[in-house]
Amino acid sequence: MSLVAGVDSSTQGTKIVVRDTATGALVRQARAPHTEGSEIDPEVWWRALLAAAEGGLLDGVDAIGVAAQQHGMVTLDEAGRVVRPALLWNDTRSAGAAADLTEELGGPAAWAQAAGSVPVASLTVTKLRWLAEHEPANAERVAGVLLPHDWLTARLTGSSDPVTDRGDASGTGYFAPATGEYRRDLLRMALGSEPRLPRVAGPAETAGPVRAPGLPGIGTVSVGTGDNMGAALGLAARPGDVVVSIGTSGTAFAVAERSTADPSGQVAGFADATGRFLPLVCTLNAARVLTAGAQALDVSQEEFDALALAAPPGAGGLTVLPYLDGERTPNLPDATGALSGMTRANLRPDRIARAFVEGMLCGLADAIDALVDQGVPVHRVLLIGGGARSEAVTAIAPQVFGRPVAVPEAGEYVADGAARQAAWALAATPAPPEWSAMAAPRVSEADPEPVIREQYAAARGA
Ligand SMILES: Nc1ncnc2c1ncn2[C@@H]1O[C@H](COP(=O)(O)OP(=O)(O)O)[C@@H](O)[C@H]1O
Ligand SMILES: O=C(CO)[C@@H](O)[C@H](O)COP(=O)(O)O
C-alpha cells in the first residue's frame, strides 16, 4: 500500500495524518502541542513535528506535505538563521503599521487592487513594517522572509532555496493573487529593503525529498500551503461550498474561479492551493471563546455545551461580543469583549453559556454575509475545526446562519489537504486525486432564529 502524510502546523499544535494514497483512507495520526503566545521560535514547530512523528508514524510514507497557519513572519539572516521569534497571525502589535501602510499606498481600495487584501495586523507586510520601526537592528539583518509552511518545508528538504505556493503567498500583502506575482515594491515600502522571498511553485510541484535527520527519507515533499487552503483541499471544496472553520481563528471561505478585491477589507482575496482563489474572512475569536466561556462558568466543555443547549435562542436577552483577543474582522485590534443585556432573570449559567456560543457564531454569520457581498454563492455551509466538535455549536449554528449546516466527520481537514497535495505531487496529474474514503457530512438543521443576530447587531452598534 502506498502512503502519504499531511502535516497541519497550526496555532495551538501540530497534527499529522497518514492516508492511503489511492483511496484517502486514514491509516494513522498523531499530534503535539505548541507553546502559547503570539510570537514563537520556529524551532517549537519543528520540535512538535518531530514529536508527532515519533514512533514510526511516517514509516513507509512516499510523500509528505505541510499546511500551516498563515501570515506568520519568519525572518532569516544571511546564513539562514532565524533573526527573531516569528510574529504570528494573531499578534496585533502591527495594527498601527497596517493603518500607516494603508494610507501610504492611497487607501484601502488601492491595497485591495494591488494585493487582494487591505492590510490588518495579521498580514505579514504589516509585521515587517513593525520590525523596521521597532527593531531596526533586527530589520537590518533580515536577508530572507518566509511563512511558517515555507520554513517547515525547507526544514524537511534541507534546502537553502525555499519554495512557497500561491495560496500562502497570497496572505503576505506583498503578492498579487490575481497575477501570481510578488509585489516587491510593497515589500520595500514596508521594510525599506527587499529580502529574498521563496519561489512560488505550482500546486503539484515537488519541493524535493526529505533530508532531515530524525525522519525517514521520504522521496517527495509537496510545496505545501496555508492552513485554510489546506482545509479547502482536504474537503475537496467546490464553488458553492462555504467552509466555516472554528479553530483558534474563525474563518469563512470559499473556492472561487475569480479573484476578489474587497475595499471594505472584510474579505481577504486569497488564492487557493489548486490554481483558483479563496476569498476568506477571518476572526480572531473562535474555539477559544468556548473554552473561555467554560472557564468563566467553571464547567467542563461537555457541561458548557449542555448548559448552552438548555437555554432559549437569544439567551433571554444576553449578548456576548466575543472580542477576547481584540478582533480582526471587524478591524478592532484593541477591542475587548462585552456581556450586555443583563437582567436578574437572565444572569444564569445556561443563558451565559448560550450567549458565548451565539456571540462567537454571530461573528461568523457576518463573515458569511461579507462573502455573499463579494458575489460568493452559498449552496452549502460546511462546519469544521475543533469548535465543530461542540454539540452546542453544531445545533445552534443553523439557527444563527439561517440555513442548514453540513458537519463533516470530526477530523483534521488541514492535514488531510496537505496529504492530498502530497498525493497530487506523487501522481503528477493535472488535478488532485479524488479520494473515495471521505465520508459524507451529516446535516444539522433548525429554524432560523433572527433574534440572535438582531441582539448581536444592537450590542455591537452600541
Ligand atoms: N468538543 C469541543 N468543544 C469546543 N471546543 C473544542 C472541542 N474540541 C476541541 N475544541 C477546541 O478547538 C480548538 C482547536 O481547534 P483546531 O481546529 O484544531 O485549531 P487550530 O487548527 O487553530 O490548532 C481548541 O481551542 C480546542 O479547545
Ligand atoms: O490568519 C488566518 C487566516 O487569514 C488564520 O486562519 C491562521 O491561518 C491561523 O489558523 P488556525 O491556527 O486557527 O487554524
Side-chain angles (χ1 to χ4, degrees):
M1 184 198 278
S2 168
L3 299 175
V4 286
V7 178
D8 169 9
S9 178
S10 282
T11 317
Q12 296 188 64
T14 295
K15 306 119 190 209
I16 306 182
V17 300
V18 175
R19 287 189 174 267
D20 178 73
T21 309
T23 65
L26 183 65
V27 176
R28 40 186 194 259
Q29 59 184 326
R31 57 169 59 217
H34 296 163
T35 47
E36 269 274 344
S38 63
E39 75 166 51
I40 192 167
D41 182 348
E43 281 297 326
V44 170
W45 305 326
W46 182 246
R47 284 200 296 270
L49 192 155
L50 292 179
E54 255 173 28
L57 187 87
L58 298 177
D59 287 356
V61 165
D62 297 308
I64 186 168
V66 179
Q69 54 178 310
Q70 294 181 243
H71 314 301
M73 178 190 73
V74 181
T75 44
L76 303 179
D77 67 12
E78 208 46 71
R81 287 177 307 235
V82 168
V83 170
R84 75 175 314 290
L87 292 185
L88 304 191
W89 66 280
N90 55 353
D91 190 290
T92 54
R93 76 185 74 178
S94 57
D100 292 347
L101 285 169
T102 303
E103 199 184 313
E104 286 165 34
L105 193 70
W111 273 96
Q113 283 305 326
S117 304
V118 179
V120 285
S122 293
L123 298 202
T124 327
V125 72
T126 71
K127 300 179 189 300
L128 289 168
R129 168 57 68 84
W130 180 89
L131 190 73
E133 282 179 348
H134 296 267
E135 296 180 355
N138 279 339
E140 268 186 32
R141 289 175 52 216
V142 175
V145 185
L146 298 180
L147 294 167
H149 113 257
D150 312 337
W151 185 83
L152 283 163
T153 304
R155 235 5 237 273
L156 281 173
T157 59
S159 170
S160 54
D161 189 15
V163 294
T164 191
D165 85 309
R166 271 174 80 246
D168 218 5
S170 67
T172 58
Y174 43 83
F175 177 84
T179 62
E181 304 284 336
Y182 279 122
R183 288 287 309 254
R184 289 179 196 274
D185 55 326
L186 301 179
L187 178 64
R188 173 168 285 281
M189 179 195 252
L191 187 64
S193 63
E194 284 180 45
R196 283 191 295 280
L197 297 173
R199 179 176 70 83
V200 183
E205 267 191 51
T206 297
V210 172
R211 280 208 195 91
L215 291 177
I218 298 168
T220 299
V221 180
S222 61
V223 294
T225 192
D227 56 0
N228 291 293
M229 297 77 200
L233 192 56
L235 288 162
R238 297 182 302 261
D241 289 341
V242 169
V243 180
V244 174
S245 170
I246 304 176
T248 314
S249 62
T251 55
F253 55 87
V255 169
E257 301 294 350
R258 288 212 308 268
S259 60
T260 54
D262 177 11
S264 81
Q266 291 186 86
V267 178
F270 297 151
D272 84 339
T274 68
R276 295 177 289 184
F277 296 90
L278 199 79
L280 179 147
V281 182
C282 181
T283 69
L284 286 184
N285 297 286
R288 291 199 282 197
V289 172
L290 308 174
T291 19
Q295 180 185 296
L297 294 169
D298 198 18
V299 293
S300 70
Q301 206 60 61
E302 291 71 31
E303 289 164 332
F304 178 81
D305 272 11
L307 283 169
L309 288 169
L318 266 190
T319 300
V320 165
L321 291 180
Y323 306 145
L324 307 185
D325 285 304
E327 192 44 283
R328 164 164 161 188
T329 322
N331 186 12
L332 301 168
D334 300 321
T336 53
L339 180 62
S340 69
M342 284 182 281
T343 63
R344 234 168 358 94
N346 66 22
L347 218 46
R348 304 166 27 159
D350 61 335
R351 269 65 170 171
I352 296 172
R354 182 156 179 129
F356 270 89
V357 176
E358 290 181 349
M360 186 272 290
L361 287 170
C362 281
L364 291 166
D366 288 348
I368 298 173
D369 286 353
L371 290 174
V372 171
D373 288 348
Q374 287 302 301
V376 170
V378 189
H379 299 149
R380 186 168 73 142
V381 172
L382 294 142
L383 199 62
I384 61 162
R389 295 176 197 249
S390 150
E391 275 181 40
V393 166
T394 56
I396 296 171
Q399 299 177 349
V400 179
F401 297 166
R403 41 169 63 91
V405 168
V407 189
E409 184 171 54
E412 297 300 342
Y413 289 95
V414 174
D416 291 345
R420 190 161 173 239
Q421 189 194 55
W424 192 10
L426 262 190
T429 43
E434 297 297 333
W435 274 349
S436 56
M438 310 309 266
R442 77 178 167 88
V443 177
S444 173
E445 287 185 88
D447 290 336
E449 297 288 354
V451 64
I452 302 172
R453 292 193 69 191
E454 285 161 15
Q455 272 180 206
Y456 182 82
R460 198 189 41 199

